[in-house]
Amino acid sequence: MSIIGVGIDVAEIERFGAAMERTPGMAARLFTDGELVLPSGERRGVASLAARFAAKEAAAKALGAPEGLRWGDAEVYVEESGQPRLRVTGTVAARAAELGVRSFHVSLSHDAGVASAVVVAEG
């Protein structure tokens, strides 16, 4: 296995939340239903969504930031163990396959008003 790409991104939580409030439909464009709603049925908080947005940006960077990737084609989910993972379909899966990516490693964080994510694409 070898590293094909690494991406990192940050999002200011307050600014991200304001953009979500200001722009109706933004959440539906950026996130899957599974990302927006917790297993309990509650809506996910803005800090968690900002970290997921950062992960999608980081994934695009790890794939070389090509044009045409669709937000909904990268989904951040959490395994029962608590480990965040990235599920890719469509445009993101096609780019990953083109580069020989076989797996992604994801780390999410949010503290002091900033959400961050790192994604490593491995072949």
PDB file of all heavy atoms in Angstrom, residues 46-65:
ATOM      1  N   VAL A  46     -23.858  22.100  14.123  1.00  0.00           N
ATOM      2  CA  VAL A  46     -23.099  22.837  13.114  1.00  0.00           C
ATOM      3  C   VAL A  46     -21.609  22.515  13.169  1.00  0.00           C
ATOM      4  O   VAL A  46     -20.954  22.447  12.125  1.00  0.00           O
ATOM      5  CB  VAL A  46     -23.367  24.359  13.195  1.00  0.00           C
ATOM      6  CG1 VAL A  46     -22.801  24.961  14.458  1.00  0.00           C
ATOM      7  CG2 VAL A  46     -22.818  25.067  11.979  1.00  0.00           C
ATOM      8  N   ALA A  47     -21.040  22.288  14.352  1.00  0.00           N
ATOM      9  CA  ALA A  47     -19.608  21.968  14.444  1.00  0.00           C
ATOM     10  C   ALA A  47     -19.310  20.644  13.753  1.00  0.00           C
ATOM     11  O   ALA A  47     -18.312  20.515  13.031  1.00  0.00           O
ATOM     12  CB  ALA A  47     -19.161  21.920  15.906  1.00  0.00           C
ATOM     13  N   SER A  48     -20.179  19.677  13.956  1.00  0.00           N
ATOM     14  CA  SER A  48     -20.015  18.372  13.327  1.00  0.00           C
ATOM     15  C   SER A  48     -20.163  18.483  11.805  1.00  0.00           C
ATOM     16  O   SER A  48     -19.412  17.856  11.054  1.00  0.00           O
ATOM     17  CB  SER A  48     -21.050  17.400  13.892  1.00  0.00           C
ATOM     18  OG  SER A  48     -20.919  16.138  13.288  1.00  0.00           O
ATOM     19  N   LEU A  49     -21.118  19.274  11.355  1.00  0.00           N
ATOM     20  CA  LEU A  49     -21.292  19.466   9.906  1.00  0.00           C
ATOM     21  C   LEU A  49     -20.107  20.203   9.297  1.00  0.00           C
ATOM     22  O   LEU A  49     -19.663  19.873   8.195  1.00  0.00           O
ATOM     23  CB  LEU A  49     -22.598  20.210   9.620  1.00  0.00           C
ATOM     24  CG  LEU A  49     -23.876  19.420   9.886  1.00  0.00           C
ATOM     25  CD1 LEU A  49     -25.098  20.307   9.665  1.00  0.00           C
ATOM     26  CD2 LEU A  49     -23.939  18.171   9.017  1.00  0.00           C
ATOM     27  N   ALA A  50     -19.586  21.190  10.017  1.00  0.00           N
ATOM     28  CA  ALA A  50     -18.416  21.921   9.513  1.00  0.00           C
ATOM     29  C   ALA A  50     -17.223  20.969   9.362  1.00  0.00           C
ATOM     30  O   ALA A  50     -16.475  21.051   8.379  1.00  0.00           O
ATOM     31  CB  ALA A  50     -18.070  23.082  10.446  1.00  0.00           C
ATOM     32  N   ALA A  51     -17.052  20.053  10.313  1.00  0.00           N
ATOM     33  CA  ALA A  51     -15.959  19.077  10.222  1.00  0.00           C
ATOM     34  C   ALA A  51     -16.172  18.146   9.031  1.00  0.00           C
ATOM     35  O   ALA A  51     -15.221  17.808   8.318  1.00  0.00           O
ATOM     36  CB  ALA A  51     -15.850  18.278  11.514  1.00  0.00           C
ATOM     37  N   ARG A  52     -17.408  17.758   8.777  1.00  0.00           N
ATOM     38  CA  ARG A  52     -17.704  16.899   7.627  1.00  0.00           C
ATOM     39  C   ARG A  52     -17.463  17.645   6.312  1.00  0.00           C
ATOM     40  O   ARG A  52     -16.965  17.075   5.350  1.00  0.00           O
ATOM     41  CB  ARG A  52     -19.127  16.356   7.712  1.00  0.00           C
ATOM     42  CG  ARG A  52     -19.208  15.192   8.678  1.00  0.00           C
ATOM     43  CD  ARG A  52     -20.611  14.909   9.173  1.00  0.00           C
ATOM     44  NE  ARG A  52     -20.636  13.650   9.908  1.00  0.00           N
ATOM     45  CZ  ARG A  52     -20.110  13.457  11.103  1.00  0.00           C
ATOM     46  NH1 ARG A  52     -19.497  14.446  11.722  1.00  0.00           N
ATOM     47  NH2 ARG A  52     -20.170  12.280  11.697  1.00  0.00           N
ATOM     48  N   PHE A  53     -17.819  18.930   6.294  1.00  0.00           N
ATOM     49  CA  PHE A  53     -17.534  19.745   5.108  1.00  0.00           C
ATOM     50  C   PHE A  53     -16.025  19.813   4.876  1.00  0.00           C
ATOM     51  O   PHE A  53     -15.550  19.643   3.755  1.00  0.00           O
ATOM     52  CB  PHE A  53     -18.121  21.144   5.283  1.00  0.00           C
ATOM     53  CG  PHE A  53     -17.763  22.082   4.165  1.00  0.00           C
ATOM     54  CD1 PHE A  53     -18.365  21.959   2.929  1.00  0.00           C
ATOM     55  CD2 PHE A  53     -16.808  23.065   4.346  1.00  0.00           C
ATOM     56  CE1 PHE A  53     -18.022  22.815   1.883  1.00  0.00           C
ATOM     57  CE2 PHE A  53     -16.458  23.917   3.315  1.00  0.00           C
ATOM     58  CZ  PHE A  53     -17.077  23.794   2.070  1.00  0.00           C
ATOM     59  N   ALA A  54     -15.268  20.031   5.948  1.00  0.00           N
ATOM     60  CA  ALA A  54     -13.811  20.077   5.837  1.00  0.00           C
ATOM     61  C   ALA A  54     -13.270  18.745   5.312  1.00  0.00           C
ATOM     62  O   ALA A  54     -12.336  18.723   4.508  1.00  0.00           O
ATOM     63  CB  ALA A  54     -13.178  20.429   7.189  1.00  0.00           C
ATOM     64  N   ALA A  55     -13.869  17.634   5.733  1.00  0.00           N
ATOM     65  CA  ALA A  55     -13.431  16.313   5.258  1.00  0.00           C
ATOM     66  C   ALA A  55     -13.691  16.148   3.763  1.00  0.00           C
ATOM     67  O   ALA A  55     -12.869  15.574   3.039  1.00  0.00           O
ATOM     68  CB  ALA A  55     -14.132  15.210   6.041  1.00  0.00           C
ATOM     69  N   LYS A  56     -14.808  16.663   3.284  1.00  0.00           N
ATOM     70  CA  LYS A  56     -15.098  16.567   1.846  1.00  0.00           C
ATOM     71  C   LYS A  56     -14.097  17.397   1.042  1.00  0.00           C
ATOM     72  O   LYS A  56     -13.612  16.965  -0.005  1.00  0.00           O
ATOM     73  CB  LYS A  56     -16.532  17.031   1.569  1.00  0.00           C
ATOM     74  CG  LYS A  56     -17.570  16.064   2.109  1.00  0.00           C
ATOM     75  CD  LYS A  56     -18.967  16.649   1.995  1.00  0.00           C
ATOM     76  CE  LYS A  56     -19.999  15.760   2.624  1.00  0.00           C
ATOM     77  NZ  LYS A  56     -20.858  15.102   1.655  1.00  0.00           N
ATOM     78  N   GLU A  57     -13.771  18.576   1.551  1.00  0.00           N
ATOM     79  CA  GLU A  57     -12.754  19.417   0.907  1.00  0.00           C
ATOM     80  C   GLU A  57     -11.388  18.723   0.950  1.00  0.00           C
ATOM     81  O   GLU A  57     -10.653  18.724  -0.038  1.00  0.00           O
ATOM     82  CB  GLU A  57     -12.664  20.776   1.606  1.00  0.00           C
ATOM     83  CG  GLU A  57     -13.829  21.697   1.327  1.00  0.00           C
ATOM     84  CD  GLU A  57     -13.694  22.427   0.000  1.00  0.00           C
ATOM     85  OE1 GLU A  57     -12.685  22.270  -0.697  1.00  0.00           O
ATOM     86  OE2 GLU A  57     -14.630  23.164  -0.338  1.00  0.00           O
ATOM     87  N   ALA A  58     -11.053  18.132   2.094  1.00  0.00           N
ATOM     88  CA  ALA A  58      -9.774  17.441   2.229  1.00  0.00           C
ATOM     89  C   ALA A  58      -9.707  16.238   1.294  1.00  0.00           C
ATOM     90  O   ALA A  58      -8.658  15.963   0.696  1.00  0.00           O
ATOM     91  CB  ALA A  58      -9.562  17.005   3.682  1.00  0.00           C
ATOM     92  N   ALA A  59     -10.814  15.526   1.137  1.00  0.00           N
ATOM     93  CA  ALA A  59     -10.851  14.380   0.218  1.00  0.00           C
ATOM     94  C   ALA A  59     -10.609  14.843  -1.223  1.00  0.00           C
ATOM     95  O   ALA A  59      -9.850  14.209  -1.958  1.00  0.00           O
ATOM     96  CB  ALA A  59     -12.191  13.660   0.325  1.00  0.00           C
ATOM     97  N   ALA A  60     -11.230  15.945  -1.596  1.00  0.00           N
ATOM     98  CA  ALA A  60     -11.013  16.480  -2.955  1.00  0.00           C
ATOM     99  C   ALA A  60      -9.540  16.818  -3.158  1.00  0.00           C
ATOM    100  O   ALA A  60      -8.959  16.516  -4.213  1.00  0.00           O
ATOM    101  CB  ALA A  60     -11.892  17.705  -3.186  1.00  0.00           C
ATOM    102  N   LYS A  61      -8.923  17.417  -2.157  1.00  0.00           N
ATOM    103  CA  LYS A  61      -7.496  17.754  -2.244  1.00  0.00           C
ATOM    104  C   LYS A  61      -6.640  16.497  -2.352  1.00  0.00           C
ATOM    105  O   LYS A  61      -5.666  16.460  -3.109  1.00  0.00           O
ATOM    106  CB  LYS A  61      -7.070  18.608  -1.050  1.00  0.00           C
ATOM    107  CG  LYS A  61      -7.683  19.998  -1.070  1.00  0.00           C
ATOM    108  CD  LYS A  61      -7.403  20.743   0.213  1.00  0.00           C
ATOM    109  CE  LYS A  61      -8.076  22.109   0.194  1.00  0.00           C
ATOM    110  NZ  LYS A  61      -7.894  22.829   1.471  1.00  0.00           N
ATOM    111  N   ALA A  62      -6.985  15.463  -1.589  1.00  0.00           N
ATOM    112  CA  ALA A  62      -6.235  14.212  -1.645  1.00  0.00           C
ATOM    113  C   ALA A  62      -6.336  13.567  -3.025  1.00  0.00           C
ATOM    114  O   ALA A  62      -5.450  12.827  -3.441  1.00  0.00           O
ATOM    115  CB  ALA A  62      -6.741  13.242  -0.574  1.00  0.00           C
ATOM    116  N   LEU A  63      -7.413  13.882  -3.744  1.00  0.00           N
ATOM    117  CA  LEU A  63      -7.623  13.342  -5.098  1.00  0.00           C
ATOM    118  C   LEU A  63      -7.139  14.300  -6.185  1.00  0.00           C
ATOM    119  O   LEU A  63      -7.427  14.104  -7.359  1.00  0.00           O
ATOM    120  CB  LEU A  63      -9.105  13.014  -5.305  1.00  0.00           C
ATOM    121  CG  LEU A  63      -9.664  11.908  -4.409  1.00  0.00           C
ATOM    122  CD1 LEU A  63     -11.168  11.784  -4.587  1.00  0.00           C
ATOM    123  CD2 LEU A  63      -8.969  10.583  -4.694  1.00  0.00           C
ATOM    124  N   GLY A  64      -6.422  15.341  -5.800  1.00  0.00           N
ATOM    125  CA  GLY A  64      -5.881  16.279  -6.779  1.00  0.00           C
ATOM    126  C   GLY A  64      -6.808  17.424  -7.122  1.00  0.00           C
ATOM    127  O   GLY A  64      -6.536  18.173  -8.064  1.00  0.00           O
ATOM    128  N   ALA A  65      -7.900  17.566  -6.405  1.00  0.00           N
ATOM    129  CA  ALA A  65      -8.866  18.658  -6.582  1.00  0.00           C
ATOM    130  C   ALA A  65      -9.332  18.836  -8.023  1.00  0.00           C
ATOM    131  O   ALA A  65      -9.339  19.953  -8.545  1.00  0.00           O
ATOM    132  CB  ALA A  65      -8.310  19.966  -6.016  1.00  0.00           C
TER     133      ALA A  65
END
